[in-house]
Each structure stands twice: as structure tokens, then as C-alpha cells.
Amino acid sequence: MMMKILILTPYIPYPVNSGGNQGFFGLIDRLRKKVDISIVLSAKPSDLDNIEKFRALWNNVSFHVYHKGEFKPDVKKPSYYNFLKGLRSSIERKLKRQQANSNDLVRKYSTITTSDFYMPVEEGYVNFIHDVIKSENYDLIQVDFFEYINMVNALPANIKKVFIHHELRYVREECEMRLFEKSKPMDYFLHNYSKSFEIGCLNNYDAVVTVTDVDKEKLKEELREDMFIESSPAIIESKNMVLTDNFKFNNRLIFLGGSDHFPNLDAVDWFLKSCWENIQRKNPDLELHIVGQWKSRLKKLYTERFSNIQFRGFVENLQDELQDAIMITPIRIGSGVRMKLLEAMEYGCPIVTTSVGSEGIGLENGQDCLIANNNISFAEAVLKLSGDKELCDKFRKNAKQKFEARPYAEQLAEVRLNIYKKILCLPKK
């Protein structure tokens, strides 16, 4: 009899149009052939078409869809109550924007100042989860992504619970705080408050799974001593790409990622404002192509201010985009793994990145890529790699070999399956 797992995720992982969705989808797509999986999705009306396509694709998975906004709270006037809730949320967002220094982009969008992590989830959603759990005999409940970390407080004690931590929030906040133009005592209060919330929630799970060994070791220092913690790397389905020897740089630098994920916005903003002018002065033929969904106002802002940049939007064939190009990943914020770098490694696209960007992948500076952490060295690295075909060929070959040395997708699925089995054998808390 197959293991029965219930998965709670705040995101609809289809279409696979982001690194987070890619990491979630690739692993569960393999596991659904080995495990009896049920998944709970929270949806707006505009999400329903994608959910139906998703359901057809994963026809051996049980879908439970919670419809946002349909819950009727036990109040005198439900419609008026919901109106007031929406008004309060709007006012709170406006207050936060007023408090943020518009010149400090990181502070403006920092998770420290913008997250309502302490707020409970919707009452209707908690009720829905309760009914779903009562309807089946689940062996294990899996919660994915920080946004649902506090759902552990709504789950029954008699079922094992595991949290999949794709990005350590307190580590991300530490990255953000280092980039603030000016630190405030309140920043440290909010960070410590947030971190204690995060660690407290994690300690209520039976097990925690990270996507990198780096994050696993960091959490070991923070969680209770008897916590079961393992790493389970994300799956990139191999395209079995054959590396050719005819790389000829076409003057295109590629950044992969959408603006909705703030570390991507910060990376592009920092690169353009701190590196691009110097690069353009020394090599005006270089172009920056940004692949992914970006807000119209941001595209207008950057294209009007900076020359030789193009926003490519979503592209059907990433291989064509990366052909004869160099990938830049000037990521300064985050933890976990950058799926975009794994794709570049497989496609044989030479890479310039930061230490944060390369974390968890095992890339070595000067051997597989160039790693630079300030504006001067990053610009120099881009110029150096763009003018050195021999170095590009070396990085392409070495990074490709490192990618191919990763466990196969099926092996990574077995790693996660074995973790599940170990969790079910844990003694009761």
C-alpha cells in the first residue's frame, strides 16, 4: 500500500514559470508515481483555468481547491466585514509605503518591513484543511514555503508533519539588512522577532527538509537538538544537452528571473545602477537581455534610463536564448538554490555570479565560473569573461561536468522518498 501524503502549498505550481515552481514541480512530478499524493491549492477565480490544466497533467493526484473569498465569517454583516478587511489591508500597505525610504529599494521591499508573517491564515482555509484531513487517513502532511510555515499550528498531533524550507527567511533578512543604506534599532527588533517566529514554528514540526546542505547546516545551529533535518535537492530534468565546441560570444548577457521575486529586482537594479555604466564605457557592444515576467512600469523605468537592455518576457525556448550568451546572476539576497544557474550549467552557458547566487551548487570561482561580490569586481568579471573565449570554454566544460555529476532526477526522488520513510519511523514527540 502506498504512503499517503497531503501537501499544503501557498503557490499554484503550474505553469512552471519560476524557480520556486520548478523546484516543487520537478520533485513531486516524480514522487506522484511512488506515493499517493493529495494537494491543497488556494485559488482565486483567475487561477482556475491553470488548476484544471494542472489537474489533467497530474491525473493520479487528488486536488482539493480552496476558493479564496467564499468563506462567510460568523459576523453580523459578512459583506461589510470583508469590505472592512480589504480596506484595512489597503491602508496597511499604504502606511508601509509611506514609512519606506523610496531611495532605499532594499528597505522598501525588505521582508523585514513588508511581511505580515505573524498574521494567521484565513479562517475558511483552516476549516477547509481540517475537513480535508478528516476525509482521509494521511500518513504524512507536508507544508511547503515560508508563507505557510505557521500552518503547523492547525495540524493534528497524531499525524507526522514535515516542512520543506526552500529559502531560510532569517538568512534572507540578514542579507537585506546588510544592504540597508542606514540601519535602525527597529530593524534588529523586527529581524529577531521574525527569526524567533520562524524557528519556533519549525520546532513544532516533526521534521524539516532544506534544498541545500548549506541551509541544513545553518538550521542545525538553530533548531531543537532532536529535530530530524535533512536536505533534498531540487530536480532539474536533464535535457541531455551535448556541449559543442563552437561557442562564439554574441555580446548578450542574460539575466533570468521575474520582478515579482524581489531578489531578482534587486539584482537587476544593483547591476544596472552600479555596474552597467562602467561595462558599457569599456564595451559598448554588450547588451543585457532580461528573461522573465517584469512589471510594465519597471521595464519603462529601466529602458528609459539605461541603453542596450531588452526585456524578453517569457520565452518558450531557453536554450535558444542562452546560446552563445553569458549568464549573469548578481543576486545579493536569499538562501536555497538558484535554479537558473543549474539550467545555465546544463546548457553550457558561462556564468558570472555572486557568492549568494552560487550558494548550494558548488561552483568554484575561476574553475567553473567567476564569482564577484561588489560592483567593481562584478563589472570586471563580466568584461573579462566576455573578452576571453578560452575562459568561456573552460567554464562551460567544467560547469557542465559538475551538473552531470549531480544525482539523476530519479535518484533525487528516491532521496526524498527515503526521507519520508525515516520521518514515519520517528518516535512520537
Side-chain angles (χ1 to χ4, degrees), residues 271-313:
F271 177 76
L272 288 174
K273 291 178 179 177
S274 302
C275 307
W276 192 232
E277 182 180 351
N278 186 26
I279 291 170
Q280 284 280 282
R281 189 187 312 113
K282 296 179 179 178
N283 189 344
D285 293 330
L286 291 181
E287 297 178 358
L288 174 63
H289 289 217
I290 301 166
V291 177
Q293 299 298 332
W294 279 66
K295 289 181 171 63
S296 297
R297 64 175 181 83
L298 292 172
K299 291 192 287 187
K300 184 174 185 293
L301 174 70
Y302 291 125
T303 52
E304 287 181 352
R305 179 171 175 181
F306 301 99
S307 60
N308 283 18
I309 68 170
Q310 293 185 31
F311 286 89
R312 304 281 293 147

mmCIF file of all heavy atoms in Angstrom, residues 271-313:
data_model
loop_
_atom_site.group_PDB
_atom_site.id
_atom_site.type_symbol
_atom_site.label_atom_id
_atom_site.label_comp_id
_atom_site.label_asym_id
_atom_site.label_seq_id
_atom_site.Cartn_x
_atom_site.Cartn_y
_atom_site.Cartn_z
ATOM 1 N N PHE A 271 22.788 45.853 -10.521
ATOM 2 C CA PHE A 271 23.691 45.675 -11.655
ATOM 3 C C PHE A 271 23.630 46.875 -12.602
ATOM 4 O O PHE A 271 24.676 47.387 -13.033
ATOM 5 C CB PHE A 271 23.330 44.398 -12.418
ATOM 6 C CG PHE A 271 24.162 44.160 -13.636
ATOM 7 C CD1 PHE A 271 25.462 43.696 -13.533
ATOM 8 C CD2 PHE A 271 23.653 44.414 -14.914
ATOM 9 C CE1 PHE A 271 26.246 43.483 -14.665
ATOM 10 C CE2 PHE A 271 24.427 44.206 -16.040
ATOM 11 C CZ PHE A 271 25.728 43.742 -15.921
ATOM 12 N N LEU A 272 22.426 47.339 -12.910
ATOM 13 C CA LEU A 272 22.292 48.470 -13.831
ATOM 14 C C LEU A 272 22.846 49.766 -13.234
ATOM 15 O O LEU A 272 23.542 50.524 -13.905
ATOM 16 C CB LEU A 272 20.828 48.647 -14.224
ATOM 17 C CG LEU A 272 20.248 47.588 -15.173
ATOM 18 C CD1 LEU A 272 18.754 47.785 -15.362
ATOM 19 C CD2 LEU A 272 20.962 47.621 -16.525
ATOM 20 N N LYS A 273 22.540 50.011 -11.975
ATOM 21 C CA LYS A 273 22.948 51.275 -11.363
ATOM 22 C C LYS A 273 24.414 51.295 -10.937
ATOM 23 O O LYS A 273 25.029 52.369 -10.887
ATOM 24 C CB LYS A 273 22.059 51.572 -10.152
ATOM 25 C CG LYS A 273 20.618 51.900 -10.528
ATOM 26 C CD LYS A 273 19.757 52.134 -9.289
ATOM 27 C CE LYS A 273 18.327 52.487 -9.674
ATOM 28 N NZ LYS A 273 17.450 52.644 -8.486
ATOM 29 N N SER A 274 24.980 50.124 -10.641
ATOM 30 C CA SER A 274 26.326 50.092 -10.074
ATOM 31 C C SER A 274 27.390 49.526 -11.006
ATOM 32 O O SER A 274 28.579 49.762 -10.782
ATOM 33 C CB SER A 274 26.313 49.259 -8.775
ATOM 34 O OG SER A 274 25.396 49.784 -7.840
ATOM 35 N N CYS A 275 26.987 48.767 -12.019
ATOM 36 C CA CYS A 275 27.965 48.085 -12.872
ATOM 37 C C CYS A 275 27.849 48.442 -14.349
ATOM 38 O O CYS A 275 28.861 48.462 -15.070
ATOM 39 C CB CYS A 275 27.811 46.558 -12.751
ATOM 40 S SG CYS A 275 27.837 45.902 -11.087
ATOM 41 N N TRP A 276 26.623 48.689 -14.822
ATOM 42 C CA TRP A 276 26.370 48.753 -16.256
ATOM 43 C C TRP A 276 27.090 49.908 -16.950
ATOM 44 O O TRP A 276 27.615 49.759 -18.065
ATOM 45 C CB TRP A 276 24.870 48.817 -16.503
ATOM 46 C CG TRP A 276 24.428 48.602 -17.921
ATOM 47 C CD1 TRP A 276 23.597 49.406 -18.657
ATOM 48 C CD2 TRP A 276 24.750 47.506 -18.791
ATOM 49 N NE1 TRP A 276 23.380 48.881 -19.910
ATOM 50 C CE2 TRP A 276 24.085 47.705 -20.015
ATOM 51 C CE3 TRP A 276 25.546 46.378 -18.650
ATOM 52 C CZ2 TRP A 276 24.196 46.828 -21.091
ATOM 53 C CZ3 TRP A 276 25.659 45.483 -19.710
ATOM 54 C CH2 TRP A 276 24.988 45.721 -20.915
ATOM 55 N N GLU A 277 27.137 51.060 -16.309
ATOM 56 C CA GLU A 277 27.791 52.219 -16.936
ATOM 57 C C GLU A 277 29.267 51.937 -17.188
ATOM 58 O O GLU A 277 29.796 52.241 -18.271
ATOM 59 C CB GLU A 277 27.632 53.454 -16.046
ATOM 60 C CG GLU A 277 28.246 54.720 -16.661
ATOM 61 C CD GLU A 277 28.073 55.940 -15.778
ATOM 62 O OE1 GLU A 277 27.331 55.857 -14.763
ATOM 63 O OE2 GLU A 277 28.703 56.973 -16.083
ATOM 64 N N ASN A 278 29.921 51.346 -16.211
ATOM 65 C CA ASN A 278 31.336 51.009 -16.349
ATOM 66 C C ASN A 278 31.546 49.972 -17.449
ATOM 67 O O ASN A 278 32.473 50.073 -18.258
ATOM 68 C CB ASN A 278 31.865 50.474 -15.009
ATOM 69 C CG ASN A 278 33.361 50.243 -15.021
ATOM 70 O OD1 ASN A 278 34.096 50.872 -15.788
ATOM 71 N ND2 ASN A 278 33.816 49.341 -14.174
ATOM 72 N N ILE A 279 30.672 48.990 -17.515
ATOM 73 C CA ILE A 279 30.771 47.953 -18.537
ATOM 74 C C ILE A 279 30.548 48.543 -19.928
ATOM 75 O O ILE A 279 31.301 48.264 -20.870
ATOM 76 C CB ILE A 279 29.740 46.831 -18.252
ATOM 77 C CG1 ILE A 279 30.140 46.058 -16.990
ATOM 78 C CG2 ILE A 279 29.610 45.880 -19.439
ATOM 79 C CD1 ILE A 279 29.082 45.096 -16.495
ATOM 80 N N GLN A 280 29.521 49.385 -20.047
ATOM 81 C CA GLN A 280 29.195 49.982 -21.345
ATOM 82 C C GLN A 280 30.302 50.914 -21.847
ATOM 83 O O GLN A 280 30.564 50.997 -23.055
ATOM 84 C CB GLN A 280 27.877 50.757 -21.230
ATOM 85 C CG GLN A 280 26.643 49.869 -21.211
ATOM 86 C CD GLN A 280 26.260 49.415 -22.603
ATOM 87 O OE1 GLN A 280 25.682 50.157 -23.379
ATOM 88 N NE2 GLN A 280 26.612 48.177 -22.936
ATOM 89 N N ARG A 281 30.942 51.594 -20.907
ATOM 90 C CA ARG A 281 32.022 52.501 -21.295
ATOM 91 C C ARG A 281 33.181 51.731 -21.942
ATOM 92 O O ARG A 281 33.783 52.190 -22.917
ATOM 93 C CB ARG A 281 32.517 53.274 -20.072
ATOM 94 C CG ARG A 281 33.496 54.399 -20.419
ATOM 95 C CD ARG A 281 34.095 55.047 -19.183
ATOM 96 N NE ARG A 281 33.102 55.394 -18.192
ATOM 97 C CZ ARG A 281 32.983 54.823 -16.997
ATOM 98 N NH1 ARG A 281 33.828 53.856 -16.655
ATOM 99 N NH2 ARG A 281 32.065 55.210 -16.156
ATOM 100 N N LYS A 282 33.449 50.551 -21.417
ATOM 101 C CA LYS A 282 34.578 49.768 -21.909
ATOM 102 C C LYS A 282 34.202 48.819 -23.043
ATOM 103 O O LYS A 282 35.066 48.424 -23.829
ATOM 104 C CB LYS A 282 35.210 48.994 -20.756
ATOM 105 C CG LYS A 282 35.813 49.919 -19.693
ATOM 106 C CD LYS A 282 36.419 49.144 -18.536
ATOM 107 C CE LYS A 282 37.027 50.105 -17.515
ATOM 108 N NZ LYS A 282 37.586 49.405 -16.335
ATOM 109 N N ASN A 283 32.935 48.433 -23.099
ATOM 110 C CA ASN A 283 32.475 47.571 -24.187
ATOM 111 C C ASN A 283 31.035 47.934 -24.532
ATOM 112 O O ASN A 283 30.079 47.292 -24.083
ATOM 113 C CB ASN A 283 32.567 46.090 -23.797
ATOM 114 C CG ASN A 283 32.315 45.170 -24.989
ATOM 115 O OD1 ASN A 283 31.798 45.592 -26.017
ATOM 116 N ND2 ASN A 283 32.664 43.896 -24.848
ATOM 117 N N PRO A 284 30.856 48.973 -25.359
ATOM 118 C CA PRO A 284 29.509 49.466 -25.671
ATOM 119 C C PRO A 284 28.675 48.501 -26.520
ATOM 120 O O PRO A 284 27.478 48.732 -26.714
ATOM 121 C CB PRO A 284 29.780 50.767 -26.431
ATOM 122 C CG PRO A 284 31.159 50.616 -26.976
ATOM 123 C CD PRO A 284 31.910 49.791 -25.992
ATOM 124 N N ASP A 285 29.274 47.426 -27.016
ATOM 125 C CA ASP A 285 28.525 46.465 -27.835
ATOM 126 C C ASP A 285 27.730 45.465 -26.998
ATOM 127 O O ASP A 285 26.858 44.771 -27.527
ATOM 128 C CB ASP A 285 29.476 45.690 -28.758
ATOM 129 C CG ASP A 285 30.112 46.579 -29.816
ATOM 130 O OD1 ASP A 285 29.464 47.566 -30.217
ATOM 131 O OD2 ASP A 285 31.259 46.298 -30.221
ATOM 132 N N LEU A 286 28.017 45.392 -25.719
ATOM 133 C CA LEU A 286 27.321 44.417 -24.881
ATOM 134 C C LEU A 286 25.863 44.823 -24.666
ATOM 135 O O LEU A 286 25.541 46.005 -24.510
ATOM 136 C CB LEU A 286 28.013 44.284 -23.522
ATOM 137 C CG LEU A 286 29.390 43.619 -23.505
ATOM 138 C CD1 LEU A 286 29.922 43.553 -22.076
ATOM 139 C CD2 LEU A 286 29.322 42.222 -24.099
ATOM 140 N N GLU A 287 24.994 43.811 -24.656
ATOM 141 C CA GLU A 287 23.571 44.018 -24.393
ATOM 142 C C GLU A 287 23.155 43.165 -23.205
ATOM 143 O O GLU A 287 23.677 42.065 -22.998
ATOM 144 C CB GLU A 287 22.724 43.607 -25.606
ATOM 145 C CG GLU A 287 22.986 44.413 -26.860
ATOM 146 C CD GLU A 287 22.152 43.922 -28.038
ATOM 147 O OE1 GLU A 287 21.407 42.915 -27.853
ATOM 148 O OE2 GLU A 287 22.244 44.521 -29.116
ATOM 149 N N LEU A 288 22.204 43.683 -22.428
ATOM 150 C CA LEU A 288 21.628 42.914 -21.329
ATOM 151 C C LEU A 288 20.217 42.502 -21.714
ATOM 152 O O LEU A 288 19.363 43.346 -21.990
ATOM 153 C CB LEU A 288 21.592 43.752 -20.042
ATOM 154 C CG LEU A 288 20.874 43.103 -18.847
ATOM 155 C CD1 LEU A 288 21.580 41.820 -18.416
ATOM 156 C CD2 LEU A 288 20.775 44.080 -17.677
ATOM 157 N N HIS A 289 19.969 41.192 -21.741
ATOM 158 C CA HIS A 289 18.642 40.652 -22.040
ATOM 159 C C HIS A 289 18.072 40.044 -20.758
ATOM 160 O O HIS A 289 18.683 39.137 -20.167
ATOM 161 C CB HIS A 289 18.721 39.596 -23.140
ATOM 162 C CG HIS A 289 19.017 40.157 -24.490
ATOM 163 N ND1 HIS A 289 18.463 39.666 -25.654
ATOM 164 C CD2 HIS A 289 19.795 41.202 -24.879
ATOM 165 C CE1 HIS A 289 18.903 40.359 -26.686
ATOM 166 N NE2 HIS A 289 19.727 41.296 -26.230
ATOM 167 N N ILE A 290 16.925 40.541 -20.340
ATOM 168 C CA ILE A 290 16.290 40.100 -19.097
ATOM 169 C C ILE A 290 15.101 39.209 -19.460
ATOM 170 O O ILE A 290 14.132 39.667 -20.070
ATOM 171 C CB ILE A 290 15.854 41.313 -18.252
ATOM 172 C CG1 ILE A 290 17.080 42.183 -17.918
ATOM 173 C CG2 ILE A 290 15.153 40.865 -16.984
ATOM 174 C CD1 ILE A 290 16.742 43.550 -17.384
ATOM 175 N N VAL A 291 15.195 37.949 -19.070
ATOM 176 C CA VAL A 291 14.178 36.956 -19.413
ATOM 177 C C VAL A 291 13.292 36.703 -18.204
ATOM 178 O O VAL A 291 13.791 36.445 -17.103
ATOM 179 C CB VAL A 291 14.834 35.637 -19.875
ATOM 180 C CG1 VAL A 291 13.775 34.574 -20.154
ATOM 181 C CG2 VAL A 291 15.695 35.871 -21.110
ATOM 182 N N GLY A 292 11.983 36.775 -18.394
ATOM 183 C CA GLY A 292 11.033 36.576 -17.299
ATOM 184 C C GLY A 292 9.995 37.683 -17.300
ATOM 185 O O GLY A 292 10.119 38.678 -18.026
ATOM 186 N N GLN A 293 8.975 37.517 -16.479
ATOM 187 C CA GLN A 293 7.883 38.489 -16.434
ATOM 188 C C GLN A 293 8.250 39.663 -15.523
ATOM 189 O O GLN A 293 8.559 39.461 -14.340
ATOM 190 C CB GLN A 293 6.603 37.809 -15.927
ATOM 191 C CG GLN A 293 6.115 36.669 -16.794
ATOM 192 C CD GLN A 293 5.740 37.119 -18.200
ATOM 193 O OE1 GLN A 293 5.347 38.277 -18.411
ATOM 194 N NE2 GLN A 293 5.849 36.226 -19.169
ATOM 195 N N TRP A 294 8.206 40.872 -16.098
ATOM 196 C CA TRP A 294 8.507 42.083 -15.337
ATOM 197 C C TRP A 294 7.347 43.068 -15.471
ATOM 198 O O TRP A 294 6.700 43.144 -16.508
ATOM 199 C CB TRP A 294 9.803 42.728 -15.858
ATOM 200 C CG TRP A 294 11.017 42.051 -15.300
ATOM 201 C CD1 TRP A 294 11.436 40.777 -15.537
ATOM 202 C CD2 TRP A 294 11.945 42.603 -14.365
ATOM 203 N NE1 TRP A 294 12.565 40.491 -14.819
ATOM 204 C CE2 TRP A 294 12.909 41.592 -14.095
ATOM 205 C CE3 TRP A 294 12.076 43.839 -13.742
ATOM 206 C CZ2 TRP A 294 13.973 41.793 -13.215
ATOM 207 C CZ3 TRP A 294 13.137 44.045 -12.870
ATOM 208 C CH2 TRP A 294 14.069 43.031 -12.613
ATOM 209 N N LYS A 295 7.124 43.818 -14.395
ATOM 210 C CA LYS A 295 6.053 44.812 -14.396
ATOM 211 C C LYS A 295 6.355 45.894 -15.434
ATOM 212 O O LYS A 295 7.509 46.296 -15.616
ATOM 213 C CB LYS A 295 5.914 45.441 -13.005
ATOM 214 C CG LYS A 295 5.338 44.489 -11.969
ATOM 215 C CD LYS A 295 5.194 45.193 -10.619
ATOM 216 C CE LYS A 295 4.432 44.339 -9.617
ATOM 217 N NZ LYS A 295 5.123 43.090 -9.300
ATOM 218 N N SER A 296 5.310 46.377 -16.078
ATOM 219 C CA SER A 296 5.463 47.363 -17.158
ATOM 220 C C SER A 296 6.167 48.626 -16.694
ATOM 221 O O SER A 296 7.015 49.177 -17.399
ATOM 222 C CB SER A 296 4.087 47.723 -17.740
ATOM 223 O OG SER A 296 3.483 46.596 -18.315
ATOM 224 N N ARG A 297 5.820 49.098 -15.488
ATOM 225 C CA ARG A 297 6.434 50.349 -15.006
ATOM 226 C C ARG A 297 7.938 50.185 -14.799
ATOM 227 O O ARG A 297 8.710 51.126 -15.022
ATOM 228 C CB ARG A 297 5.763 50.816 -13.721
ATOM 229 C CG ARG A 297 5.924 49.886 -12.543
ATOM 230 C CD ARG A 297 5.338 50.473 -11.261
ATOM 231 N NE ARG A 297 5.523 49.580 -10.128
ATOM 232 C CZ ARG A 297 6.632 49.505 -9.420
ATOM 233 N NH1 ARG A 297 7.667 50.289 -9.739
ATOM 234 N NH2 ARG A 297 6.738 48.677 -8.400
ATOM 235 N N LEU A 298 8.371 48.971 -14.398
ATOM 236 C CA LEU A 298 9.798 48.734 -14.208
ATOM 237 C C LEU A 298 10.518 48.650 -15.547
ATOM 238 O O LEU A 298 11.620 49.189 -15.704
ATOM 239 C CB LEU A 298 10.012 47.448 -13.408
ATOM 240 C CG LEU A 298 9.554 47.473 -11.949
ATOM 241 C CD1 LEU A 298 9.640 46.089 -11.331
ATOM 242 C CD2 LEU A 298 10.391 48.472 -11.144
ATOM 243 N N LYS A 299 9.904 48.000 -16.508
ATOM 244 C CA LYS A 299 10.509 47.930 -17.846
ATOM 245 C C LYS A 299 10.673 49.334 -18.424
ATOM 246 O O LYS A 299 11.726 49.659 -19.002
ATOM 247 C CB LYS A 299 9.645 47.065 -18.766
ATOM 248 C CG LYS A 299 9.642 45.596 -18.401
ATOM 249 C CD LYS A 299 9.019 44.720 -19.473
ATOM 250 C CE LYS A 299 7.521 44.878 -19.528
ATOM 251 N NZ LYS A 299 6.903 43.906 -20.467
ATOM 252 N N LYS A 300 9.664 50.152 -18.257
ATOM 253 C CA LYS A 300 9.723 51.531 -18.762
ATOM 254 C C LYS A 300 10.814 52.316 -18.033
ATOM 255 O O LYS A 300 11.604 53.036 -18.656
ATOM 256 C CB LYS A 300 8.365 52.203 -18.568
ATOM 257 C CG LYS A 300 8.262 53.610 -19.134
ATOM 258 C CD LYS A 300 6.814 54.121 -19.005
ATOM 259 C CE LYS A 300 6.639 55.485 -19.664
ATOM 260 N NZ LYS A 300 7.376 56.551 -18.988
ATOM 261 N N LEU A 301 10.866 52.154 -16.710
ATOM 262 C CA LEU A 301 11.853 52.869 -15.891
ATOM 263 C C LEU A 301 13.275 52.554 -16.333
ATOM 264 O O LEU A 301 14.105 53.460 -16.543
ATOM 265 C CB LEU A 301 11.662 52.482 -14.418
ATOM 266 C CG LEU A 301 12.697 53.015 -13.431
ATOM 267 C CD1 LEU A 301 12.538 54.517 -13.255
ATOM 268 C CD2 LEU A 301 12.555 52.310 -12.072
ATOM 269 N N TYR A 302 13.581 51.290 -16.513
ATOM 270 C CA TYR A 302 14.962 50.883 -16.806
ATOM 271 C C TYR A 302 15.335 51.117 -18.269
ATOM 272 O O TYR A 302 16.474 51.511 -18.566
ATOM 273 C CB TYR A 302 15.176 49.424 -16.421
ATOM 274 C CG TYR A 302 15.137 49.187 -14.922
ATOM 275 C CD1 TYR A 302 14.267 48.254 -14.369
ATOM 276 C CD2 TYR A 302 15.961 49.902 -14.066
ATOM 277 C CE1 TYR A 302 14.225 48.032 -12.999
ATOM 278 C CE2 TYR A 302 15.929 49.698 -12.690
ATOM 279 C CZ TYR A 302 15.057 48.767 -12.160
ATOM 280 O OH TYR A 302 15.016 48.564 -10.803
ATOM 281 N N THR A 303 14.413 50.884 -19.180
ATOM 282 C CA THR A 303 14.753 51.085 -20.605
ATOM 283 C C THR A 303 14.910 52.566 -20.943
ATOM 284 O O THR A 303 15.675 52.913 -21.847
ATOM 285 C CB THR A 303 13.687 50.454 -21.523
ATOM 286 O OG1 THR A 303 12.380 50.904 -21.153
ATOM 287 C CG2 THR A 303 13.735 48.943 -21.463
ATOM 288 N N GLU A 304 14.223 53.431 -20.230
ATOM 289 C CA GLU A 304 14.379 54.868 -20.467
ATOM 290 C C GLU A 304 15.690 55.393 -19.890
ATOM 291 O O GLU A 304 16.275 56.335 -20.418
ATOM 292 C CB GLU A 304 13.198 55.639 -19.867
ATOM 293 C CG GLU A 304 11.900 55.483 -20.652
ATOM 294 C CD GLU A 304 10.765 56.282 -20.044
ATOM 295 O OE1 GLU A 304 10.951 56.836 -18.922
ATOM 296 O OE2 GLU A 304 9.688 56.360 -20.672
ATOM 297 N N ARG A 305 16.147 54.761 -18.822
ATOM 298 C CA ARG A 305 17.345 55.259 -18.139
ATOM 299 C C ARG A 305 18.629 54.623 -18.668
ATOM 300 O O ARG A 305 19.677 55.275 -18.690
ATOM 301 C CB ARG A 305 17.219 55.000 -16.636
ATOM 302 C CG ARG A 305 18.420 55.459 -15.836
ATOM 303 C CD ARG A 305 18.178 55.399 -14.351
ATOM 304 N NE ARG A 305 19.385 55.733 -13.602
ATOM 305 C CZ ARG A 305 19.477 55.747 -12.280
ATOM 306 N NH1 ARG A 305 18.414 55.446 -11.550
ATOM 307 N NH2 ARG A 305 20.623 56.047 -11.678
ATOM 308 N N PHE A 306 18.562 53.373 -19.102
ATOM 309 C CA PHE A 306 19.778 52.634 -19.489
ATOM 310 C C PHE A 306 19.681 52.165 -20.937
ATOM 311 O O PHE A 306 18.611 51.785 -21.413
ATOM 312 C CB PHE A 306 19.992 51.431 -18.567
ATOM 313 C CG PHE A 306 20.128 51.789 -17.119
ATOM 314 C CD1 PHE A 306 19.043 51.663 -16.254
ATOM 315 C CD2 PHE A 306 21.331 52.256 -16.613
ATOM 316 C CE1 PHE A 306 19.159 51.997 -14.919
ATOM 317 C CE2 PHE A 306 21.457 52.590 -15.275
ATOM 318 C CZ PHE A 306 20.370 52.467 -14.422
ATOM 319 N N SER A 307 20.816 52.185 -21.601
ATOM 320 C CA SER A 307 20.852 51.766 -23.008
ATOM 321 C C SER A 307 21.231 50.303 -23.122
ATOM 322 O O SER A 307 21.782 49.700 -22.188
ATOM 323 C CB SER A 307 21.871 52.607 -23.780
ATOM 324 O OG SER A 307 23.172 52.457 -23.222
ATOM 325 N N ASN A 308 20.917 49.717 -24.270
ATOM 326 C CA ASN A 308 21.307 48.341 -24.606
ATOM 327 C C ASN A 308 20.729 47.294 -23.654
ATOM 328 O O ASN A 308 21.389 46.317 -23.340
ATOM 329 C CB ASN A 308 22.832 48.194 -24.646
ATOM 330 C CG ASN A 308 23.428 48.766 -25.908
ATOM 331 O OD1 ASN A 308 22.791 49.559 -26.594
ATOM 332 N ND2 ASN A 308 24.649 48.378 -26.230
ATOM 333 N N ILE A 309 19.499 47.513 -23.206
ATOM 334 C CA ILE A 309 18.845 46.472 -22.412
ATOM 335 C C ILE A 309 17.498 46.123 -23.044
ATOM 336 O O ILE A 309 16.821 46.983 -23.615
ATOM 337 C CB ILE A 309 18.660 46.867 -20.931
ATOM 338 C CG1 ILE A 309 17.651 48.008 -20.779
ATOM 339 C CG2 ILE A 309 19.970 47.227 -20.296
ATOM 340 C CD1 ILE A 309 17.263 48.249 -19.318
ATOM 341 N N GLN A 310 17.151 44.853 -22.968
ATOM 342 C CA GLN A 310 15.886 44.362 -23.517
ATOM 343 C C GLN A 310 15.202 43.467 -22.498
ATOM 344 O O GLN A 310 15.852 42.639 -21.864
ATOM 345 C CB GLN A 310 16.109 43.550 -24.796
ATOM 346 C CG GLN A 310 16.622 44.324 -25.977
ATOM 347 C CD GLN A 310 16.701 43.442 -27.218
ATOM 348 O OE1 GLN A 310 15.917 42.499 -27.394
ATOM 349 N NE2 GLN A 310 17.674 43.728 -28.076
ATOM 350 N N PHE A 311 13.887 43.654 -22.346
ATOM 351 C CA PHE A 311 13.090 42.752 -21.526
ATOM 352 C C PHE A 311 12.415 41.759 -22.461
ATOM 353 O O PHE A 311 11.581 42.131 -23.283
ATOM 354 C CB PHE A 311 12.055 43.540 -20.720
ATOM 355 C CG PHE A 311 12.657 44.303 -19.572
ATOM 356 C CD1 PHE A 311 13.130 45.603 -19.751
ATOM 357 C CD2 PHE A 311 12.768 43.724 -18.314
ATOM 358 C CE1 PHE A 311 13.686 46.313 -18.697
ATOM 359 C CE2 PHE A 311 13.333 44.425 -17.255
ATOM 360 C CZ PHE A 311 13.795 45.718 -17.451
ATOM 361 N N ARG A 312 12.776 40.496 -22.315
ATOM 362 C CA ARG A 312 12.353 39.473 -23.256
ATOM 363 C C ARG A 312 11.050 38.789 -22.860
ATOM 364 O O ARG A 312 10.467 38.065 -23.667
ATOM 365 C CB ARG A 312 13.457 38.416 -23.388
ATOM 366 C CG ARG A 312 14.817 38.978 -23.787
ATOM 367 C CD ARG A 312 14.882 39.262 -25.258
ATOM 368 N NE ARG A 312 14.811 38.013 -26.000
ATOM 369 C CZ ARG A 312 14.247 37.860 -27.185
ATOM 370 N NH1 ARG A 312 13.676 38.892 -27.764
ATOM 371 N NH2 ARG A 312 14.245 36.695 -27.788
ATOM 372 N N GLY A 313 10.618 38.997 -21.608
ATOM 373 C CA GLY A 313 9.413 38.328 -21.157
ATOM 374 C C GLY A 313 9.626 36.821 -21.038
ATOM 375 O O GLY A 313 10.754 36.339 -20.904
#
